[in-house]
Amino acid sequence: MTRVRRGYIARRRRKKMRLFVSSFRGAHSKPIRIVAQQKIRALFSAHRDRNKKKRDFRRLWITRINAAIRETEKGIYYSYSKFIHDLYKRQLILNRKILAQIAILNRNSIYSISNEILKKEDWKDAPEML
């Protein structure tokens, strides 16, 4: 019986997999069975960590805003949760990313935002006290 020469389809598929894992260390880029497993694992991790990155950045922004808000000039205590609550109450929709950038680059403006909110809150509460 004559020898059958295989087609190129399987070779092309394996070549594509090997290109994906070519930078992996050790045997993770050599045998085709392990290459297939590592490719699946890498894609799974990439998908999971895309969402994790969003969570991590949100946590970072919240931490930065909280640190900036608590360091007010006159020693007035103001927490992150009260700050965000007051922003929503006054309908000043600024997302956390922008607030964190303001907190880092220009502390005075975050102080002025928080002071304005505090002034408006005090002014609104004043007639009720009388």
Side-chain angles (χ1 to χ4, degrees), residues 78 86-87 89-90 92 112-128:
Y78 203 51
D86 292 342
L87 278 177
K89 209 160 44 171
R90 305 243 344 105
L92 296 170
S112 62
I113 291 170
S114 62
N115 288 338
E116 284 298 316
I117 291 172
L118 283 172
K119 282 180 193 172
K120 302 245 170 144
E121 291 297 317
D122 292 341
W123 180 78
K124 195 166 41 170
D125 294 338
E128 294 172 4

Side-chain angles (χ1 to χ4, degrees), residues 6-73:
R6 292 286 308 265
Y8 62 92
I9 294 169
R11 188 167 50 247
R12 192 171 57 185
R13 187 184 71 237
R14 291 184 191 123
K15 190 175 180 183
K16 218 169 20 173
M17 267 197 284
R18 281 223 168 88
L19 281 172
F20 183 83
V21 298
S22 62
S23 63
F24 292 6
R25 297 182 68 185
H28 289 188
S29 63
K30 301 290 188 281
I32 199 65
R33 210 176 269 183
I34 294 174
V35 162
Q37 290 170 358
Q38 291 304 313
K39 181 180 177 185
I40 291 169
R41 187 174 179 171
L43 291 172
F44 178 82
S45 296
H47 180 265
R48 179 194 62 217
D49 292 340
R50 272 196 296 276
N51 291 328
K52 193 171 186 305
K53 186 169 77 168
K54 293 175 181 71
R55 284 196 304 265
D56 290 344
F57 270 107
R58 184 182 167 98
R59 283 178 63 192
L60 177 68
W61 297 331
I62 288 171
T63 306
R64 285 178 175 171
I65 295 166
N66 195 18
I69 291 300
R70 286 174 189 264
E71 291 180 9
T72 55
E73 296 162 348

Side-chain angles (χ1 to χ4, degrees), residues 68-82:
I69 291 300
R70 286 174 189 264
E71 291 180 9
T72 55
E73 296 162 348
K74 297 169 187 168
I76 302 168
Y77 180 75
Y78 203 51
S79 70
Y80 166 79
S81 59
K82 288 179 186 173

